Every structure is written in structure tokens, then in C-alpha cells.
Amino acid sequence: MARIVISIDPLPTERPRARKQLVVCSRCGPVGGPHGLHTLATAAQDHHLAQHKAALTTPTTSEALR
Ligand SMILES: [Zn+2]
């Protein structure tokens, strides 16, 4: 089974100071919208990873994520 990797990708913008970060899951694709703060992006990353971990221990919901 493939390992799930959730990365934080910076989005290129015309204003470097307003750079947004997108949380991308290797299985689900982009998770939510872009975040303006790195702390918010990492929080979303942790949250999504927790959802996958919860799903892995619950067979009924793991099917819904495929
Ligand atoms: Zn995912």
C-alpha cells in the first residue's frame, strides 16, 4: 500500500510577501484552499494526516477515502 505523503507547496504569486501555501496530499490532492500563514498550513497538514490515520484504523471509513 502506498504511503500517504502530505506536503506544503508554496504558490507563486506576483507579491512575494503575500505568498500562499497549499497543502497537498499524495492521495487526495490539494487539501482545502491556500493558506497565508505557514502555521495554518502545517495545522491543516496535521489535521489531514490525523484524518487518514483515523481512517486506517476504521475499515468502514477507509473505503470512503479511496
Ligand atoms: Zn488525503
Side-chain angles (χ1 to χ4, degrees):
M1 181 179 149
R3 203 161 66 93
I4 296 167
V5 178
I6 304 172
S7 59
I8 297 176
D9 296 342
L11 289 175
T13 60
E14 65 277 12
R15 291 187 300 154
R17 283 173 160 225
R19 176 175 292 208
K20 304 229 176 195
Q21 297 171 316
L22 190 64
V23 180
V24 180
C25 174
S26 63
R27 178 174 281 191
C28 311
V31 178
H35 298 276
L37 292 172
H38 186 71
T39 49
L40 290 179
T42 52
Q45 182 185 36
D46 288 345
H47 181 69
H48 190 73
L49 188 61
Q51 285 184 320
H52 274 299
K53 282 184 175 170
L56 286 175
T57 57
T58 312
T60 49
T61 54
S62 69
E63 286 300 312
L65 277 170
R66 290 175 62 98

